[in-house]
Amino acid sequence: MKPLWKAPPPRFLLPKKNVHIWRAVLDLPGQNVAALKRSLSEDEMIKADRFRFERDRNRFISTRGILRLILAGYLCVEPGYIRFCYEKDGKPRLQNLSGRANITFNLSHSEGLALYVFSRGIEAGIDLERIRHFPEMEEIVEQFFSEKERAVFGALPVCEKKEKFFQWWTRKEALMKAMGKGLSYPLGRIDFLPTNGKLFESFKMSKSEKEQTKWLLWDLIPAEEFAGAVVMEEGKWNVQYWQWSDELSVQFAEKLKEAQDKIKK
């Protein structure tokens, strides 16, 4: 699926049945990165400073700073007020906003691109990978793909293997993120074979699994040479696709100040 990424409306909310997926370019001008860094928490700044290369450091700052600005826009709080906690396998949650909003989110980034998914009370996972030469591809297939997947993958023409690998791998990663699981989970139990042209694929974990949630999966083409996937609890959701831009930083700041002024009154 190649979505149409739109600029969000001047005022936007996140109703209960809505799912917002954001795309953001991470390679920003230096002054923009510096502004985003000011919204980070102390522990995030420490993590940023650990990156050896400036490009990787700036991409980390952009990824986390944009996340904070989007959440701040939904919640009408200062970006620096937002705190995260992490589940056992690393899934992030909002920590200190109980009673204010039941927003769940997930994010993924690859090189200079990031994807975010936001909803209210819905478990969701999103993953993104740049399609590239990957020497360990066959090894990963043997270790993490199901028997059926390995058979189908092995029969593919060499020219198709790279794209198909990243398509299936992002599906697996998105499912693990939605479930709050890590790569220690036996991924070989899950078949993500071709969906026969379906835009959305509904599936349920095997009967032997404790997790009996029914999931909805769809592939994303976020940009040329990238693969992406979204997995979320099954339901009738209104999915909207937004494009982050530098101008939104200013708009978010203005809307946030306006909302906070109303709260004070």
Side-chain angles (χ1 to χ4, degrees), residues 33 100 105 113 132 170 173 211 234 240 253 257 262:
V33 176
R100 184 183 291 269
F105 65 94
L113 198 65
R132 62 196 186 278
T170 54
E173 285 271 24
E211 300 83 5
E234 190 177 54
Q240 296 172 297
K257 186 178 184 304
K262 287 182 180 179

Side-chain angles (χ1 to χ4, degrees), residues 27-247:
D27 294 328
L28 303 174
Q31 65 270 23
N32 297 38
V33 176
L36 288 171
K37 187 174 182 179
R38 289 194 289 272
S39 72
L40 302 188
S41 64
E42 185 178 349
D43 64 305
E44 286 172 324
M45 289 186 183
I46 292 171
K47 287 181 182 177
D49 290 338
R50 287 176 182 163
F51 284 92
R52 180 179 177 185
F53 298 107
E54 183 181 16
R55 185 180 66 176
D56 296 333
R57 180 168 58 253
N58 288 347
R59 285 174 175 174
F60 172 82
I61 292 169
S62 298
T63 301
R64 300 306 289 258
I66 291 169
L67 170 64
R68 284 178 171 277
L69 285 180
I70 295 173
L71 286 170
Y74 289 138
L75 299 168
C76 294
V77 300
E78 290 287 349
Y81 179 72
I82 295 169
R83 292 290 181 271
F84 303 113
C85 58
Y86 297 88
E87 296 182 349
K88 182 180 177 181
D89 287 299
K91 187 170 185 176
R93 302 278 190 191
L94 288 171
Q95 183 178 35
N96 60 339
L97 294 166
S98 58
R100 184 183 291 269
N102 185 24
I103 290 185
T104 54
F105 65 94
N106 200 242
L107 68 151
S108 182
H109 61 89
S110 180
E111 298 193 5
L113 198 65
L115 292 177
Y116 308 82
V117 58
F118 299 90
S119 59
R120 290 195 181 271
I122 306 164
E123 294 299 338
I126 195 164
D127 196 58
L128 166 72
E129 291 284 351
R130 188 177 72 82
I131 300 171
R132 62 196 186 278
H133 175 63
F134 191 53
E136 297 83 8
M137 184 171 63
E138 299 285 351
E139 182 181 334
I140 295 293
V141 169
E142 284 299 315
Q143 186 175 357
F144 292 107
F145 282 36
S146 71
E147 184 177 349
K148 289 181 181 178
E149 287 172 332
R150 293 197 301 271
V152 172
F153 187 83
L156 289 172
V158 174
C159 61
E160 295 181 17
K161 284 189 172 183
K162 184 169 61 174
E163 183 174 348
K164 190 61 66 178
F165 169 81
F166 283 106
Q167 182 186 67
W168 290 359
W169 183 253
T170 54
R171 293 176 182 180
K172 289 177 181 287
E173 285 271 24
L175 176 60
M176 292 302 98
K177 291 180 177 182
M179 293 173 62
K181 302 289 184 181
L183 291 180
S184 59
Y185 186 88
L187 293 173
R189 295 183 186 177
I190 307 164
D191 288 320
F192 279 136
L193 295 173
T195 56
N196 298 319
K198 292 181 184 177
L199 186 59
F200 300 98
E201 181 74 1
S202 178
F203 65 96
K204 198 172 185 178
M205 303 304 292
S206 66
K207 293 181 180 179
S208 62
E209 299 294 339
K210 293 180 181 179
E211 300 83 5
Q212 287 295 301
T213 301
K214 200 165 186 181
W215 300 99
L216 194 65
L217 158 76
W218 68 99
D219 296 320
L220 286 180
I221 304 174
E224 294 297 324
E225 302 299 321
F226 281 85
V230 182
V231 173
M232 60 190 309
E233 293 180 56
E234 190 177 54
K236 294 182 178 179
W237 314 119
N238 177 27
V239 182
Q240 296 172 297
Y241 298 90
W242 305 128
Q243 174 67 50
W244 178 266
S245 65
D246 294 344
E247 292 77 15

